Each structure stands twice: as structure tokens, then as C-alpha cells.
Amino acid sequence: MGSSSVNDPNIMEEGGQQLDHVIGDRNVAERSRMLLNAPQPPGLCSEFVSSVKDIVNLPNGNKSYSGEKKKPELKQHVGTVLRGLFPILSWGRIYTLSKFKSDLMSGLTLASLSIPQSIGYANLAKLDPQYGLYTNVVPPLIYALMGSSREIAIGPVAVVSLLLSSMVQKIVDPVEDPTGYKRFVFTVTLFAGTFQAAFGLLRLGFLIDFLSHSAIVGFMGGAAIVIGLQQLKGLLGFTHFTNNTDVISVVRAVWRSFHDPWSPHNFILGCSFLIFILFARFLGRRNKKLFWLPAIAPLISVILSTLIVYLTRADKHGVRIVKHINKGLNPSSAKELQFSGPNVGEAAKTGLICAIIALTEAIAVGRSFAAIKGYHIDGNKEMVAIGFTNILGSLTSCYVATGSFSRTAVNFSAGCQTAISNVVMALTVILALEFLTRLLYYTPTAILASIILSALPGLIDINGARNIYRIDKYDFLACFGTFLGVLFASVEIGLLIAVTISFSRIILNSIRPGINNLGQLPGTNNFCSTSQFPMAIKIPGVLILRVESSYLGFANANYIRERILKWVTEEQENEESKENARTLQVLVLDMSNVLNIDTSGIHALEELHKELVSLDLQLAIASPTWKVMHKMKISKYMDIIGSGWIFLTVSEAVDACIGSKMVISLPC
């Protein structure tokens, strides 16, 4: 009898099932203990120190084979910090002559485009021409030491130049007080660089993301049109023109200027070379071997137009020219910075706006070309690098510099290998400042206007706007609103609209997050939204809800609690209306998406628990994240709900409810 009972297959199968059930319960209990006994998450100071270490690539310590940490030597620490701050120390060791040949060619090609563009952008920023050239000397050299992008070309750009002139001239008039205007621009540049470096060191790159891609597309398009209209002054040779940047004021100024004496020679000269530059760009796109032609076309235009004006004395017949450009290297501007007076706050505000716009353009350009080459650049390190280029630039008579898309494209097409191309370009500009400034005296302003106009089509992304409209109508609203704000109000209003729409969407999603009802996919242990997967099976007696928010706090806690109670009420009413339906017994709250919680969120959970108890329902929490788990422990909320009702996964929570015989599962 004993032998037969021991060998009975039914008894053995039943015993095996019981053993599996016991082992499964032990595994669940073990995982629950791991969840409940997780170590304390790092605090604010630890996160800041970790961020700084990430910036400079500082290791936390080397591990030996025994698992013990070995303290790195001081030399290793210093070397790691220096390589983190100056990437040139890493790739400079493997730099070869063949790479230098490529960088030399691309740097010279880049300089041929940068010299005329920089003079034009300085004019757009309402500064003397030499300041555009100065900005192509120090910032590129600093970036070559600290930047991680191989292709990006650093210098003045059209959008930042327009932004500076539109904001600064409201505080200091560049005509009445050119010295004060220049000093204010240098101060703004210092503030911009300081903000940029701080963003990188504190890992605050998310601030740039408030200007979404759609907002940038609209901003660039509106700015391109405004810049183009502004160039009508140089292209047509107008003497009197408006300082406003909205399209209505500019069109009105153009209309009034036609009634004043003006020289058509400016228009003929400018349009002729504009057609030449655009035709050279067309040939360069048709034939990749002619990539150098659109790059040197602006320089050829400057040389030829200057010769024409000099030989024909066209400046005596109404053609407006650049005239004097200061010779020599960047003078020091440290003593010209202003840290006192009523306009310091305005300088900081302007610097912050310029910092964000400049960083947005530079990082977008750098990442685009890095993706083509198959490598990655760290946005926070780029912020630090660009920040220091502008900090040191403000001390050497430079205004805000950033990465230029058009010049970066030329640098890439010319075959640059490293940031040495920026060094070659800067050295070439130094030679131009030393030996070519007298030759640029007769350069017509119409040519500078035509060079800027030729670069504007690249700022208008019509296909991008169409894609935004097809993908997300709300994003298109941000794009179109920013475009109209820049075009019909001002650059600042356009940026304000962009930030407002972006913030409104973030706030709306934060204070009104979604609550999804989950069901079990047939044949699996996966629980998914019943709206997305209609075939998902609801567990009788169990309501499973997932909070679709990364933060449960003061802004959305009460809303989430009310939505959960609404779901509970509707579920109870639905079950009461069905015959032989299992009454609701357990609410499983999936908190896998909730990354953090504050005291208001804890209080909302306590209120939710009280209301569920009054309805004779049990609350179970599944998949709490690290910080949420820690705050539930220190707030004693776990004592209220009971540690036995906190689970690693939704599946384990449902199995525990079924195992406790509170609910009965349906076969899948």
C-alpha cells in the first residue's frame, strides 16, 4: 500500500504542482523583499557630483578582480579631467598628415565663405565689419580645443545677429551711442557664454528642449524672411531705414524709401552677384566634384565687386561701400564689459535668450552631421565648449558665436576630418585682418546683402513644416504661431509664443495625464491597455489601472485620484448591471511610469486608500520605481497599505489576488 501510494502518478503530479506553487510563492516573496529593501536613492548633491563627473569623464574608481575599488592615481584623475574638458588631447595623439591635408583644404574653403559672411553678419548685428571677423578668430580656436564635433564651423550666424540687433537697439541706440552699443553687446556675449557653460555643467540641456523642433522650424522661417527684408536696405542702397524687425514696418520703410533719392547701381550690382552665387550653388549641387564652387563664390563676388567699384569709382555715383575696417588682431575688451548700471538685468535677459537660441542651433547642427559620420556628441559637453568660446570671445571683442549650418555643410563637403579645419579657418582670417582690410575698403554693401540673402533659403524648411502638419497638428500650431510672431511682431514675441505653446503642452500633459485600464493578453503574462489591445482580457474582480505620468505631485495628484475613483465607480456599476458578475474586490495600480512623487502625491494616495477602504476594496501597488518606493517608506505609507500589497509586476499582483482567493481568474 505504501509503495503503491508513493508511486501513484496522480499523487505525484499533485505533489509536483504543490511544490511548484511553493517555489513560485518563495520567488515572489524574494522579489518583493528585494523591492522593499532597495537602498536609498542618491540625493541632490550626489546627482550634481555625478553630473560634473560625466562632463569631465571622471571615473568613480577602478574595480579589481576581487571586486574592491582601487583609488585612481592623481595623474590618472588629472589626465581624465583634462581629456574630458579638452577632447583634442584624445584624438590629437592619432592625428595624421593625411587628415591634416583634408583639414587644410576644408579650412581654406571654409575661410573663403566665412570672411564675406562675417562682415555681412556684423552689419546685420549693427556692428563694425571687423567684429564679425574677430568672431571668426577666437571662438573657433577655443572650440577646436574643447568641442567634440568634427564638422561644426563656429562663428557668427544670421539668426543670432538679428536677435542681438533687434533686442539691444531697444536699450542702446547704435547710431547715437555706437561705443555704448558695442560694450553692451560684449556684456551680452559674456552672459550668454556663462549661461551656456552653466547649462552644460549642471546638465540643464532640457531647457533648450522647451524650444521644440516645430518651434525652431517656425522661428527660423520667420527670421529668414525678416532678415531678407532687412537686406533690402543694402541691396537697394537706402539711407534711411527702420530699426524694427516686423514685416509691416520693414515693408513700410521700403515703400517710403522709394520716394527718396536712391541709386539703382546698388540693386544692379547686388542682384548680379546674387544670381552668380545662386548659380554656383546650383552647379555645386548638380556636380559633387564642384563642392568648392559655392563655397568660394561669395569671396569671388567680394573680390570682383570691390575691383569694379574701385576701378569705376562707383562709390562717387551712389554705390554704398563698407569703407574703413580696422586692421590687426582682436583687441582686448575686458575693460569694456559693464556690470553696473540700470541695464545689467537687460543684458542678462538678452544673454539668456541668445544663449538658448545659439545652443539650439549649434547642437542641432552638430548632431545632424555627427549622425551622418556615425558618431555621437554629448550635448552637455557641447554646451560647456560653446559657453567657453563665448566667455573668452567676450574678452576679445567678439559677439555671440555658435555653429553655422551653411558653413558646417561646406566644411563637411570639403572633407574635413577634425576640428583643425576651424583652426585653419581662424588663422586665415587672422591673415585677412593683417593684410586684406585695406583692400576691403571699396567692398559694396550690396554684395554683403546678396551674400546674406543667398544663405537664407537654407533657413526656410517648407518640407519640415509639411511633415509637422501631417504628424502632429498641435506641433504645427507651435510652428505657425512662432512664424507669425516673428514675422508680424518681433523676434522676442515669436520666441515668447514658441515657449508659451511648448509650456502649455507640457503643463496640459502634466496636470491631465492619462489613466489606462489594463487587461491580460491571451496566452501571456503581459498586461496592456484594453483601448490599444481590445483582445486583452479583464480579470474578474480586479481593476488594473496604469498612471501615464512620470511625476505624481501637487499639479496632478488630485486629478489622478479623482480619475481613479471614477474608474472604480464605473467598474462597479458595470459589474452590478451584469448577471453572475464577480463584484470588484481589488484595485491594482501600475506605477511603472511614475518616476517621482512628492508629499501631495503621497497624500493623494492616502486619501485614495481611505476611500477604497470605505468601498470595501483592497489597493495593490505594482512596479513602483526607486524614488517612489523610497518616499512611500519614509512617509510610512507602506504601513498603511501593508508591505504585502506592493509587488514587482502587475502579473505578480494579480496572481497574489487570485492566490488569496479574493478573485477568480478566467481561463485565457
Side-chain angles (χ1 to χ4, degrees):
M1 286 290 292
S3 176
S4 63
S5 63
V6 171
N7 296 325
D8 188 347
N10 294 327
I11 295 176
M12 293 179 65
E13 182 179 357
E14 182 179 353
Q17 291 176 351
Q18 292 176 354
L19 181 60
D20 290 342
H21 183 69
V22 171
I23 294 174
D25 288 343
R26 288 179 179 175
N27 291 336
V28 171
E30 182 65 26
R31 287 195 290 270
S32 297
R33 281 195 297 271
M34 292 168 59
L35 178 64
L36 295 172
N37 298 326
Q40 181 176 339
L44 184 62
C45 293
S46 299
E47 291 182 352
F48 173 74
V49 172
S50 178
S51 299
V52 174
K53 287 181 177 180
D54 287 340
I55 291 294
V56 299
N57 284 334
L58 188 63
N60 291 319
N62 299 323
K63 287 187 177 181
S64 64
Y65 291 107
S66 62
E68 298 179 354
K69 288 186 178 180
K70 289 184 177 180
K71 189 175 181 180
E73 295 180 1
L74 180 60
K75 290 183 179 180
Q76 292 178 336
H77 267 313
V78 174
T80 304
V81 171
L82 290 177
R83 284 192 297 272
L85 291 175
F86 304 101
I88 192 172
L89 297 177
S90 297
W91 57 261
R93 302 186 210 175
I94 56 174
Y95 194 69
T96 61
L97 182 60
S98 61
K99 289 184 178 180
F100 176 72
K101 291 178 180 178
S102 299
D103 288 337
L104 179 62
M105 177 64 183
S106 57
L108 294 174
T109 307
L110 185 59
S112 66
L113 176 62
S114 298
I115 291 172
Q117 268 194 357
S118 299
I119 296 173
Y121 291 154
N123 185 45
L124 181 61
K126 292 183 169 51
L127 292 167
D128 292 335
Q130 64 268 15
Y131 294 107
L133 296 174
Y134 293 159
T135 309
N136 262 322
V137 175
V138 174
L141 292 175
I142 301 300
Y143 183 84
L145 296 175
M146 302 186 67
S148 55
S149 173
R150 305 169 193 167
E151 296 83 21
I152 195 169
I154 298 295
V157 297
V159 173
V160 176
S161 300
L162 172 67
L163 187 61
L164 268 175
S165 64
S166 65
M167 297 185 70
V168 176
Q169 69 183 356
K170 295 178 181 179
I171 303 165
V172 182
D173 194 312
V175 177
E176 295 181 358
D177 187 9
T179 302
Y181 181 87
K182 177 185 64 175
R183 290 177 176 175
F184 195 86
V185 168
F186 294 155
T187 307
V188 167
T189 303
L190 177 64
F191 277 114
T194 304
F195 281 124
Q196 290 168 338
F199 290 162
L201 291 172
L202 300 176
R203 303 188 74 82
L204 298 178
F206 67 90
L207 294 174
I208 297 174
D209 296 331
F210 284 127
L211 284 177
S212 61
H213 171 70
S214 56
I216 290 297
V217 170
F219 175 78
M220 291 293 187
I225 295 177
V226 170
I227 292 170
L229 293 174
Q230 288 274 355
Q231 298 315 302
L232 293 177
K233 175 184 178 182
L235 193 64
L236 299 174
F238 294 146
T239 304
H240 303 289
F241 210 72
T242 180
N243 289 328
N244 297 328
T245 57
D246 61 286
V247 65
I248 297 176
S249 298
V250 174
V251 170
R252 187 184 295 122
V254 172
W255 178 256
R256 289 175 179 173
S257 297
F258 275 118
H259 296 82
D260 297 331
W262 64 284
S263 173
H265 298 94
N266 291 281
F267 180 73
I268 296 172
L269 193 64
C271 285
S272 300
F273 282 99
L274 176 61
I275 294 172
F276 166 70
I277 294 172
L278 294 177
F279 182 69
R281 183 175 299 169
F282 171 76
L283 292 178
R285 290 176 178 174
R286 290 289 299 272
N287 189 347
K288 297 299 182 181
K289 294 182 180 180
L290 297 177
F291 69 89
W292 51 270
L293 184 58
I296 68 170
L299 184 61
I300 293 174
S301 300
V302 169
I303 294 173
L304 292 179
S305 62
T306 303
L307 286 174
I308 291 172
V309 172
Y310 176 75
L311 295 175
T312 62
R313 299 298 179 184
D315 57 309
K316 305 295 184 181
H317 300 86
V319 174
R320 297 172 60 83
I321 58 175
V322 172
K323 295 184 179 179
H324 181 68
I325 299 179
N326 288 347
K327 177 184 177 181
L329 297 178
N330 300 37
S332 174
S333 56
K335 295 182 179 180
E336 299 187 42
L337 300 175
Q338 300 174 330
F339 300 108
S340 60
N343 295 329
V344 176
E346 291 293 331
K349 183 187 77 171
T350 307
L352 176 61
I353 296 174
C354 290
I356 293 175
I357 294 297
L359 283 178
T360 302
E361 183 171 357
I363 292 176
V365 171
R367 285 178 174 170
S368 298
F369 286 92
I372 296 174
K373 284 288 189 73
Y375 69 97
H376 174 73
I377 62 173
D378 188 334
N380 290 296
K381 289 185 178 180
E382 285 296 289
M383 292 179 197
V384 174
I386 295 173
F388 275 98
T389 64
N390 285 315
I391 290 174
L392 296 176
S394 67
L395 303 176
T396 52
S397 301
C398 304
Y399 71 97
V400 182
T402 187
S404 166
F405 184 84
S406 60
R407 295 198 295 274
T408 302
V410 168
N411 199 27
F412 175 81
S413 300
C416 73
Q417 297 294 317
T418 66
I420 294 297
S421 60
N422 274 287
V423 177
V424 175
M425 183 267 292
L427 295 177
T428 307
V429 174
I430 290 174
L431 294 176
L433 281 167
E434 287 290 343
F435 303 108
L436 301 180
T437 53
R438 292 185 63 183
L439 300 179
L440 296 173
Y441 181 90
Y442 290 97
T443 301
T445 57
I447 294 302
L448 303 179
S450 66
I451 291 172
I452 295 176
L453 286 170
S454 68
L456 296 182
L459 299 178
I460 303 175
D461 190 0
I462 298 177
N463 291 329
R466 288 176 180 171
N467 289 332
I468 292 170
Y469 180 78
R470 287 197 298 265
I471 296 171
D472 193 324
K473 301 299 187 293
Y474 195 97
D475 260 2
F476 182 76
L477 178 63
C479 175
F480 193 61
T482 307
F483 175 79
L484 293 180
V486 173
L487 203 59
F488 291 101
S490 65
V491 176
E492 304 96 291
I493 296 298
L495 288 173
L496 182 61
I497 292 173
V499 174
T500 301
I501 294 176
S502 299
F503 261 111
S504 64
R505 186 168 193 178
I506 294 171
I507 293 172
L508 186 62
N509 291 335
S510 298
I511 66 176
R512 292 292 185 268
I515 306 290
N516 280 332
N517 190 3
L518 306 184
Q520 186 176 15
L521 287 179
T524 71
N525 286 328
N526 297 326
F527 288 81
C528 305
S529 171
T530 55
S531 299
Q532 184 178 1
F533 300 95
M535 74 289 296
I537 299 172
K538 295 184 179 180
I539 307 300
V542 180
L543 176 62
I544 309 170
L545 299 178
R546 181 170 62 207
V547 180
E548 302 292 346
S549 174
S550 62
Y551 182 70
L552 179 57
F554 67 94
N556 58 16
N558 286 327
Y559 173 80
I560 291 174
R561 179 180 60 84
E562 292 171 359
R563 285 291 305 275
I564 292 173
L565 290 174
K566 184 178 179 182
W567 270 102
V568 171
T569 303
E570 291 177 353
E571 187 71 16
Q572 287 179 327
E573 292 175 353
N574 291 336
E575 291 188 350
E576 289 174 358
S577 64
K578 298 176 182 178
E579 296 182 0
N580 301 322
R582 180 76 178 179
T583 57
L584 184 61
Q585 299 290 327
V586 181
L587 168 65
V588 177
L589 196 60
D590 180 6
M591 299 185 68
S592 57
N593 290 331
V594 182
L595 302 180
N596 208 343
I597 189 171
D598 66 3
T599 53
S600 298
I602 294 290
H603 181 70
L605 290 179
E606 292 174 351
E607 292 294 321
L608 176 64
H609 182 264
K610 291 179 183 178
E611 290 166 334
L612 292 177
V613 169
S614 66
L615 296 173
D616 198 22
L617 296 178
Q618 175 63 50
L619 174 63
I621 293 179
S623 306
T625 54
W626 195 7
K627 291 184 179 180
V628 173
M629 191 70 203
H630 173 67
K631 292 183 180 180
M632 286 197 301
K633 285 197 292 186
I634 62 177
S635 65
K636 307 298 182 183
Y637 178 71
M638 285 178 52
D639 298 337
I640 298 174
I641 189 177
S643 59
W645 290 102
I646 297 178
F647 302 93
L648 190 63
T649 64
V650 174
S651 177
E652 291 183 1
V654 173
D655 290 342
C657 296
I658 296 172
S660 64
K661 298 182 180 180
M662 296 182 68
V663 297
I664 300 173
S665 65
L666 289 177
C668 294

